[in-house]
Amino acid sequence: MKGVPGRPRRRAVPALTAASAALLLAAAPAATAAPPAAYGAPAAAYGAVPRDRGGLQEAADALTKGPVYVDPRAEGRLPVAQADALAHDIEESGKPVFVAVLPATSDYPPATLFEDLRTRVGIRGVYAVQLGDRFDARADADVMSRESVRHLVGAAQRAHPHDATAQLKDFAAQAQKQVGKGTPESWHDAGGNGVSSGALVGLGALVLLGAGGAYTVRRRARRRREAEEQAALDSLRVVVDEDITAYGEELDRLDFRPGEPGADDAMRADYAHALDAYENAKQTMARARHPEDVRRVTEVLEDGRFALAALAARRAGRPLPERRPPCFFDPRHGPSVADERWAPPGGAERTVPVCAADQARLADGQEPMARTVRTPYGEDRPYWDAGPVYAPWAGGYYGMMGGGLLPGLFLGTLLGSSMMGPAAYGWGDGGYGGDVLGGGDYSGGDFNSGDFGGGFGGDGGGFGGDGGGFGGGFGD
């Protein structure tokens, strides 16, 4: 069995002092020269281990040296070129995501596969496994929550039914966006121990090129981050533009004229406040350059909608409304009027603020009128189950509830899982794409086996268990 073939490492080369370079070059003649490889021969497999050992230990050994392992008996499911590209993407992201493609044989017992693999690798992170024609994943809870794992697995399975390889690659790509940086040191130290004189001479050139290489790596990382932010902002812009349009239509329907009979200064002040919010929202969105900028837009819209509600109450002679969060199911419904118990499919029940219309629908046993948005998979889902990109959008609308209460409102949803960290996609103080939860450090067998529990294969949210941990099987 073997690991993913090697390739040039794309890491910054630390600059060496002149003294260090001189010592290295002076030592070059004494170094053991490696025999030259045949022209055109493939490079030695990065993280390769002997083929004659087989089984779970070989897979674990390979994953301590690199992020992707493909059992030779499963190469047809993830060809070498695709495996190499996936490993490159994970390494470039700097995230502790481990991928294994394995045959469904007795070498990999499904019932304890995740727990055993995690124990042998010994590194905190996210573990995605394709076992035969099935896919599932687990993670240490302090790296990615059980709910996040379950939602990402379920979304990948729904997006690519009957294609476990596509599910695995989809999951890995999405997991990299939610996990904080922290690759294991063993990935970077996986090269051979012998150093040839040619390598040392080459190192002299690296002394001169190190600074430029480090700059290139930083520039590439910055460009990747900018591209991710732009894609997120583009998705948010669609949703916010819809919100601004709906708000403008609400202003028109109100049909208030400051000079109309019965209008007083309080009404005119509410109306002016609502008009200002409309203009401010448009201008703020036009200036938005980062996903977290959207939070200010939805804060302004929430404030404007309350002004509209106050104006409507004054005109009708009703008591002024209480300042409450917008309706949980769709903030375009305006300020909530009550709190009701509700649970998302498969999630725990919680209290959410609701508008009068959704309160009546819930009382009648009907589904609320939920706001749907487009997911990265091209499907329309309720915003709370569409991914972390919508965290700043929701944060602006519901931020009045406070940082401690807001994640609880979305507990058990894909959006809520991303809010549990201090800097998730613009929620909190870290800004978009902050390193919310990390991993990559060595823990050996000291981990919560419950994080890796459940069977391999199940209800579309995990392999036969609770959709999160490492302590169970692959398809019980």
Side-chain angles (χ1 to χ4, degrees):
M1 298 189 180
K2 61 182 179 181
V4 176
R7 58 199 171 280
R9 302 292 294 166
R10 291 175 169 82
R11 292 196 292 136
V13 180
L16 300 177
T17 65
S20 298
L23 286 173
L24 286 170
L25 291 174
T32 302
Y39 179 79
Y46 181 75
V49 292
R51 295 174 60 91
D52 57 356
R53 291 195 300 176
L56 195 63
Q57 187 60 55
E58 180 174 335
D61 289 345
L63 289 176
T64 62
K65 300 179 176 71
V68 178
Y69 172 77
V70 180
D71 186 301
R73 293 169 292 180
E75 281 184 354
R77 297 188 179 277
L78 189 65
V80 170
Q82 294 183 29
D84 187 71
L86 178 58
H88 172 263
D89 289 344
I90 295 173
E91 290 173 355
E92 286 287 282
S93 73
K95 307 299 181 67
V97 177
F98 300 84
V99 172
V101 180
L102 312 172
T105 70
S106 59
D107 289 333
Y108 305 105
T112 60
L113 176 56
F114 278 112
E115 184 174 1
D116 292 346
L117 184 63
R118 170 62 176 84
T119 300
R120 292 172 185 264
V121 175
I123 301 172
R124 293 169 56 247
V126 178
Y127 289 72
V129 176
Q130 180 177 346
L131 183 65
D133 59 359
R134 293 179 293 170
F135 162 70
D136 203 357
R138 297 290 186 273
D140 290 273
D142 57 349
V143 175
M144 179 179 286
S145 72
R146 292 187 180 189
E147 287 298 321
S148 285
V149 174
R150 185 172 67 85
H151 285 299
L152 288 182
V153 169
Q157 291 174 344
R158 290 189 296 271
H160 309 283
H162 314 301
D163 188 345
T165 302
Q167 294 169 11
L168 178 142
K169 292 192 290 186
D170 192 333
F171 174 89
Q174 296 303 315
Q176 292 173 55
K177 298 178 181 179
Q178 294 199 31
V179 179
K181 289 185 181 294
T183 55
E185 285 298 320
S186 58
W187 285 7
H188 310 309
D189 301 332
N193 293 325
V195 181
S196 69
S197 60
L200 289 174
V201 172
L203 187 59
L206 291 180
V207 173
L208 301 177
L209 298 176
Y215 172 75
T216 299
V217 171
R218 289 195 299 270
R219 182 175 59 182
R220 183 164 57 243
R222 183 176 67 251
R223 287 177 176 173
R224 181 175 65 248
R225 177 184 175 88
E226 290 172 351
E228 291 174 352
E229 287 200 359
Q230 186 59 52
L233 182 60
D234 290 343
S235 297
L236 287 166
R237 194 178 300 278
V238 172
V239 177
V240 174
D241 285 348
E242 291 175 353
D243 288 1
I244 293 174
T245 298
Y247 182 85
E249 292 172 348
E250 195 171 345
L251 269 173
D252 289 341
R253 286 194 299 271
L254 191 63
D255 193 27
F256 175 76
R257 295 181 299 279
E260 69 182 27
D264 57 24
D265 289 344
M267 294 181 191
R268 285 186 281 269
D270 287 336
Y271 185 65
H273 193 137
L275 283 176
D276 288 344
Y278 181 58
E279 294 301 324
N280 288 341
K282 291 191 294 183
Q283 294 171 13
T284 304
M285 193 63 218
R287 293 192 302 266
R289 295 295 179 267
H290 305 282
E292 58 264 30
D293 296 339
V294 168
R295 179 170 180 170
R296 177 56 186 159
V297 182
T298 52
E299 284 177 348
V300 170
L301 290 174
E302 184 278 326
D303 188 55
R305 280 203 170 87
F306 181 77
L308 288 177
L311 175 57
R314 294 184 199 277
R315 295 178 77 189
R318 300 192 306 268
L320 292 178
E322 176 188 357
R323 187 65 185 260
R324 291 178 52 85
C327 177
F328 170 82
F329 299 109
D330 188 342
R332 295 176 301 181
H333 295 171
S336 59
V337 299
D339 295 322
E340 295 290 343
R341 300 292 290 173
W342 171 83
E349 191 175 66
R350 83 287 315 276
T351 299
V352 297
V354 299
C355 64
D358 281 327
Q359 183 184 32
R361 292 177 68 85
L362 290 173
D364 292 340
Q366 302 179 47
E367 289 297 317
M369 296 181 289
R371 175 69 181 277
T372 59
V373 297
R374 186 61 51 92
T375 72
Y377 311 106
E379 60 179 341
D380 292 330
R381 302 281 299 168
Y383 74 88
W384 57 81
D385 199 27
V389 69
Y390 295 100
W393 176 84
Y397 278 126
Y398 304 102
M400 67 168 61
M401 300 184 68
L405 295 176
L406 182 56
L409 183 67
F410 295 97
L411 183 66
T413 69
L414 191 55
L415 181 58
S417 297
S418 73
M419 287 181 169
M420 295 308 290
Y425 289 86
W427 168 248
D429 299 327
Y432 177 84
D435 296 340
V436 183
L437 300 172
D441 55 312
Y442 184 81
S443 70
D446 183 15
F447 68 97
N448 183 359
S449 62
D451 289 341
F452 290 77
F456 204 115
D459 58 2
F463 279 117
D466 54 10
F470 284 97
F474 206 112
D476 292 350

